[in-house]
Amino acid sequence: MKKIMTLALLLVMAVAANAQMLDPVKFTVTLKTGNTAEGEIVFTGKIDKGWHVYSTGLGNDGPVSATFNVTKLDGVQLVGKLQAKGNEISNFDPLFGMKLRYFENSVQFVQKVKFTKPEYTIDAYLEFGACNDENCMPPTSVDFKKSGKSPAVDSKPKTEPAAEAATAEQAKAEEQPADSVAADSTTATVAATTPDTTSLWKPVVKELQALGGSSDNIANHSLLYIFLMGIIGGLLALVMPCIWPIIPMTVSFFLKRAKDDKKKGIRDAITYGISIIVIYLALGIIITLIFGPSKLNELSTNSIFNIFLFLLLVVFALSFFGWFEIKLPDGWANSVDTKASNATGLISIFLMAFTLALVSFSCTAPIIGLLLVETVTSGNWIGPAVGMFGFALALALPFTLFAMFPSLLKSAPRSGSWMNTIKVVLGFIELAFALKFFSVADLAYGWHLLDREVFLSLWIVIFGALGCYLVGWLKFRSDEVGGEIERPMPVACIMLGLCSFAFTVYMIPGLWGAPCKAVSAFAPPINTQDFNLNTKTIEAKYTNYEEGMAAAKAQGKPVLIDFTGFGCVNCRKMEAAVWTDPQVADKLTKDYILISLFVDDKTKLAEPIEVEQNGQKRSLRTVGDKWSYLQSIKFGANAQPFYVATDADGNPLTGSFSYKEDIPAYLDFLNKGLDNFRK
């Protein structure tokens, strides 16, 4: 157990340590030749877990496609287009409204060439885009330069330099997007001067880190969130009708077993609690092993898997409503119970814990199912184990405490109708969560059965019905206790029912396009809604760093630099969920000079800029290359979205901010920058 927690802690520390500069994809390049005039330039990439690299030919409206770009070709012609090889994954992305193709773990990009002269020179590069669930890398290039004698030359007559130049120019034209998106036309004529010689480009990495940096990455909190979700699941399972009544009987058994030795009884009870933790923790680890580290993220967007999860949660909900009961064969529990009675020592206690797990399956299965659904689709490889550890800890703790302090049993509430109320409430919640997974499948297949207004309508009905149940207007057959179906509901239930009604009313304006930020993580995107009255958007006036900084100096305002990308999914999420907030929008438009720098802008620079970074020379060929270099050399980061508040000289005012759909936190980030600027 200590090893598991240590591993989790190390994972969190590793994420925090690497929150700034990321290097998730590593490529090697080889030129394969044979006895013919043709060869292959092969780019072999190894992709870190949780990341994916986009395939070729995704179009101008999607993320960064993999492309082969030519700087100089002499004695070589390109044959066909760049080919992608490997296990290509294809999924519909609702934000881009298109199917995206990408690779995980590994990929190969192959460009075929034909040698036309006895000697050749190749100066080219592969450009690709990579993302994970929180960040996207800027377009990254892998250079390939090679010259030498050709292994063989095609005997067919060739039209030399002109044809080769035309081929190279044609390849460049094919790789260049038809429409480069740029909100400010001045970005097309950015001066090709060495950027790091100006004061605006002076590195401020240490200063930014001293102010907090961007270590507050949302990924740092994922394991803690999953652990707390497991704790809540365990507490809910604890008050189910098939577990709560078992506590007194189990505790009594341990106390009677060691009535002459109280310490032994307490030790056995602690062992029993640890056994419960081990059993459920093993379940989480098995789930992880079955799906594998690289499969978890893939499952989160897999259509068939999401349909399965939808049906599974609906079945769990109907079970909680009392339509039927989910049970394992009685023989399993009886067999384990018999072995527990015959065994002695630690094995006996462990088998008793296993018996509890089997007997309580009808109550814990829906909760465990929901927990594992959330952790498996989170894409975090250790998530299921951490979640199940939290679940088991909450479930085992009362057994241990009651055995250590038997007097607590007298003050514990008795089992009764309140347990059935909890089951039904959980049924409504599982039904609502089920729609989330059907929505993923609906978007993937383009059925348009569950667009945003339909989703919100169903949630309005579900939570409205939940409110009716909690105030006593709606009853289920399982609520009949002693024939008195008209019993009054407790005050606590009525208050929760009013909260459910309030949440229902809150969602109603969403049918006309209101943001409904509280459900934005679950509902389909706003662009799936047919009728939308909300057209407010926030756009940067400046997309050129130097011009924006000059405007800030002239107006005496601080600057918010937004490192973004046309193909950055999470950048669009932040703009839709956070920038549209009235307070945030007001500060961005009135108090700050907002500069959006697109790291995947394909607009060509007048001349390539040669720079040196980490001891290696690289060429900045596009406007996006320039802004990507600015982000890495000045601020020590290379993932988007990335927000940093500075003064007009480029000095940071507060710590940076990454992807986190948290409006209060973003407002606090903006306010700190303003306060420090005014000081």
Side-chain angles (χ1 to χ4, degrees):
M1 189 185 307
K2 289 183 178 179
K3 290 183 178 179
I4 292 294
M5 295 305 297
T6 302
L7 181 59
L9 179 61
L10 289 175
L11 181 63
V12 172
M13 293 173 63
V15 172
N18 292 284
Q20 290 281 336
M21 293 299 295
L22 304 174
D23 186 21
V25 186
K26 299 173 179 61
F27 270 99
T28 57
V29 194
T30 57
L31 175 62
K32 293 184 177 181
T33 59
N35 297 322
T36 67
E38 292 191 350
E40 292 181 342
I41 302 174
V42 181
F43 298 86
T44 303
K46 184 179 180 182
I47 309 168
D48 288 353
K49 293 172 184 176
W51 287 82
H52 54 265
V53 170
Y54 292 106
S55 187
T56 58
L58 297 181
N60 297 330
D61 298 327
V64 180
S65 303
T67 57
F68 185 81
N69 304 270
V70 173
T71 302
K72 180 182 179 182
L73 284 182
D74 185 22
V76 180
Q77 289 181 355
L78 301 183
V79 178
K81 295 184 178 181
L82 184 70
Q83 300 295 319
K85 296 183 178 181
N87 182 24
E88 188 176 75
I89 301 168
S90 179
N91 280 311
F92 182 85
D93 189 282
L95 195 62
F96 288 106
M98 61 186 291
K99 275 199 171 185
L100 298 183
R101 295 175 288 107
Y102 55 88
F103 297 87
E104 296 178 346
N105 298 323
S106 62
V107 64
Q108 273 194 346
F109 294 108
V110 179
Q111 175 62 59
K112 292 185 177 181
V113 295
K114 183 171 69 174
F115 299 99
T116 58
K117 290 181 179 179
E119 294 188 355
Y120 70 91
T121 299
I122 302 174
D123 186 356
Y125 61 95
L126 170 76
E127 187 175 71
F128 68 93
C131 290
N132 67 1
D133 286 342
E134 282 84 35
N135 301 299
C136 284
M137 299 290 294
T140 307
S141 60
V142 182
D143 292 332
F144 178 70
K145 295 180 180 180
K146 193 173 180 65
S147 59
K149 292 185 178 181
S150 302
V153 176
D154 196 350
S155 58
K156 197 166 70 173
K158 300 169 284 297
T159 56
E160 297 268 4
E164 292 176 6
T167 302
E169 290 300 320
Q170 182 182 359
K172 287 184 180 180
E174 288 178 352
E175 302 297 350
Q176 175 69 19
D179 299 312
S180 294
V181 184
D184 189 344
S185 59
T186 58
T187 58
T189 57
V190 176
T193 57
T194 304
D196 57 357
T197 59
T198 66
S199 59
L200 289 177
W201 289 70
K202 180 184 67 176
V204 292
V205 179
K206 292 182 179 178
E207 293 89 337
L208 189 63
Q209 289 176 345
L211 291 168
S214 63
S215 60
D216 187 26
N217 192 297
I218 194 170
N220 294 355
H221 305 296
S222 59
L223 289 177
L224 177 61
Y225 167 77
I226 291 173
F227 176 73
L228 293 177
M229 188 167 62
I231 290 282
I232 293 172
L235 294 176
L236 289 173
L238 191 64
V239 295
M240 291 290 101
C242 53
I243 293 182
W244 189 261
I246 298 176
I247 296 177
M249 294 185 293
T250 306
V251 172
S252 254
F253 170 80
F254 282 115
L255 292 178
K256 288 177 183 178
R257 178 171 173 170
K259 57 184 178 180
D260 296 329
D261 187 351
K262 186 177 180 180
K263 289 184 179 180
K264 184 177 185 301
I266 294 175
R267 186 171 61 250
D268 287 349
I270 293 174
T271 305
Y272 182 69
I274 293 175
S275 298
I276 295 174
I277 294 174
V278 170
I279 289 168
Y280 282 104
L281 183 59
L283 176 61
I285 294 174
I286 289 171
I287 292 294
T288 305
L289 293 175
I290 290 174
F291 292 118
S294 62
K295 287 293 182 181
L296 295 180
N297 190 51
E298 181 182 342
L299 286 173
S300 66
T301 54
N302 183 276
S303 303
I304 297 175
F305 184 67
N306 277 277
I307 293 172
F308 169 75
L309 295 180
F310 162 73
L311 295 174
L312 182 67
L313 292 183
V314 169
V315 169
F316 287 158
L318 296 178
S319 172
F320 273 166
F321 288 152
W323 193 358
F324 52 84
E325 185 177 3
I326 302 173
K327 290 184 65 177
L328 289 174
D330 293 333
W332 291 14
N334 294 334
S335 176
V336 175
D337 190 42
T338 302
K339 291 181 180 179
S341 301
N342 296 331
T344 59
L346 295 178
I347 296 177
S348 172
I349 296 174
F350 183 83
L351 289 174
M352 283 190 62
F354 197 63
T355 303
L356 170 71
L358 293 177
V359 171
S360 62
F361 182 80
S362 61
C363 291
T364 58
I367 298 174
I368 293 173
L370 181 61
L371 173 65
L372 290 179
V373 161
E374 286 296 303
T375 54
V376 167
T377 56
S378 70
N380 194 319
W381 71 272
I382 203 171
V386 173
M388 291 305 294
F389 173 71
F391 176 88
L393 183 64
L395 189 62
L397 196 59
F399 287 94
T400 306
L401 289 177
F402 284 136
M404 294 174 68
F405 308 102
S407 58
L408 293 177
L409 280 174
K410 297 179 181 179
S411 58
R414 295 183 179 180
S415 58
S417 60
W418 60 275
M419 292 184 172
N420 184 73
T421 302
I422 292 176
K423 281 185 64 175
V424 174
V425 170
L426 286 176
F428 279 110
I429 293 174
E430 296 220 353
L431 195 60
F433 268 92
L435 294 175
K436 169 191 173 184
F437 298 104
F438 184 83
S439 173
V440 175
D442 179 67
L443 291 167
Y445 284 111
W447 298 331
H448 297 291
L449 298 175
L450 202 64
D451 289 342
R452 187 172 184 267
E453 64 269 28
V454 179
F455 182 95
L456 289 177
S457 298
L458 291 172
W459 266 40
I460 288 169
V461 171
I462 289 171
F463 284 96
L466 174 59
C468 291
Y469 175 78
L470 287 171
V471 300
W473 298 344
L474 177 66
K475 297 290 183 181
F476 288 84
R477 179 171 296 183
S478 57
D479 291 308
E480 297 184 31
V481 181
E484 298 180 2
I485 196 168
E486 295 299 330
R487 60 183 176 82
M489 297 297 287
V491 174
C493 288
I494 294 175
M495 297 305 295
L496 289 174
L498 294 178
C499 292
S500 186
F501 283 137
F503 184 58
T504 301
V505 173
Y506 164 80
M507 289 188 288
I508 292 175
L511 299 175
W512 291 274
C516 292
K517 297 185 177 81
V519 299
S520 60
F522 305 100
I526 191 69
N527 58 20
T528 64
Q529 188 151 324
D530 296 327
F531 183 64
N532 181 14
L533 298 178
N534 182 18
T535 57
K536 184 178 181 181
T537 57
I538 302 296
E539 294 182 1
K541 184 178 180 180
Y542 299 95
T543 56
N544 179 281
Y545 176 59
E546 286 84 0
E547 288 189 358
M549 298 301 269
K553 183 166 287 190
Q555 298 179 36
K557 290 184 177 182
V559 176
L560 181 68
I561 305 176
D562 163 35
F563 287 97
T564 182
F566 297 120
C568 175
V569 175
N570 288 327
C571 301
R572 303 292 87 78
K573 288 182 180 179
M574 288 291 291
E575 292 160 11
V578 179
W579 282 14
T580 54
D581 178 80
Q583 294 184 68
V584 174
D586 189 62
K587 291 187 180 298
L588 292 178
T589 54
K590 295 180 181 179
D591 297 332
Y592 277 94
I593 295 295
L594 179 60
I595 306 175
S596 289
L597 303 179
F598 291 83
V599 298
D600 54 359
D601 189 340
K602 296 295 185 182
T603 305
K604 294 289 185 182
L605 294 172
E607 295 178 18
I609 303 174
E610 296 293 330
V611 297
E612 186 171 330
Q613 188 175 10
N614 298 326
Q616 295 183 343
K617 290 185 178 181
R618 58 174 293 205
S619 297
L620 308 180
R621 302 177 178 91
T622 66
V623 173
D625 288 345
K626 183 179 179 180
W627 302 146
S628 176
Y629 177 74
L630 169 67
Q631 183 186 4
S632 61
I633 199 69
K634 184 174 179 66
F635 300 110
N638 61 349
Q640 294 77 46
F642 183 83
Y643 309 97
V644 59
T646 72
D647 59 20
D649 294 320
N651 300 309
L653 298 172
T654 184
S656 56
F657 200 94
S658 298
Y659 171 68
K660 188 176 184 181
E661 294 181 46
D662 186 338
I663 293 173
Y666 201 81
L667 279 171
D668 183 59
F669 159 70
L670 295 177
N671 287 329
K672 283 182 180 177
L674 284 172
D675 292 342
N676 291 333
F677 178 77
R678 288 163 183 162
K679 291 177 183 178

